[in-house]
Amino acid sequence: QVQLVESGGGLVQAGGSLRLSCTASGSIVSINAMGWYRQAPGKQRELVAVIPDVGTTNYADSVKGRFTISRDNAKNTVYLQMNSLKPEDTAVYYCNAKIVPRVYEYLYWGQGTQVTVSS
């Protein structure tokens, strides 16, 4: 069984920083793209950032220049460094990953971690 477990969420004042982590565990042959999404109350889930196994990262316009996505392949972990946080960044943040557990690729999601930015 493959699992994604996030950590690092919390309450922070506007202008502050948080670092989210997401680690994949279980039967894993390879991990392709990994990403972060977020969902604010009453809104649809939206892409925040994605990092492929090879290639360039992509960011939502709303977080460019403030957030940085990175990964440690040896640890099966993806990170999201969030700086200059704004109240509108408040949301539940979910990581996902395209993982090959045996032969085929599947998309897995974490359980989510709450980020709250106070003004």
Side-chain angles (χ1 to χ4, degrees):
Q1 303 286 2
V2 174
Q3 279 190 313
L4 295 180
V5 178
E6 299 117 334
S7 62
L11 173 64
V12 65
Q13 288 188 331
S17 299
L18 282 175
R19 187 194 195 207
L20 305 182
S21 300
C22 173
T23 299
S25 63
S27 175
I28 297 172
V29 171
S30 63
I31 302 177
N32 298 323
M34 304 183 82
W36 288 94
Y37 287 70
R38 66 187 181 186
Q39 187 167 18
K43 295 187 177 181
Q44 289 189 332
R45 191 173 297 189
E46 63 176 2
L47 172 71
V48 176
V50 62
I51 182 168
D53 52 342
V54 177
T56 58
T57 57
N58 285 293
Y59 296 90
D61 288 342
S62 59
V63 306
K64 282 180 181 177
R66 300 188 298 121
F67 291 10
T68 302
I69 189 171
S70 61
R71 63 191 285 175
D72 184 335
N73 291 331
K75 296 181 179 180
N76 290 340
T77 298
V78 62
Y79 304 96
L80 186 68
Q81 177 66 43
M82 305 185 293
N83 298 327
S84 301
L85 283 160
K86 303 175 181 180
E88 50 264 43
D89 295 318
T90 295
V92 177
Y93 283 70
Y94 299 90
C95 72
N96 74 359
K98 295 181 178 180
I99 296 174
V100 178
R102 291 186 179 181
V103 176
Y104 300 108
E105 178 186 274
Y106 298 91
L107 180 64
Y108 294 87
W109 289 88
Q111 81 286 356
T113 186
Q114 177 70 46
V115 171
T116 303
V117 184
S118 63
S119 57

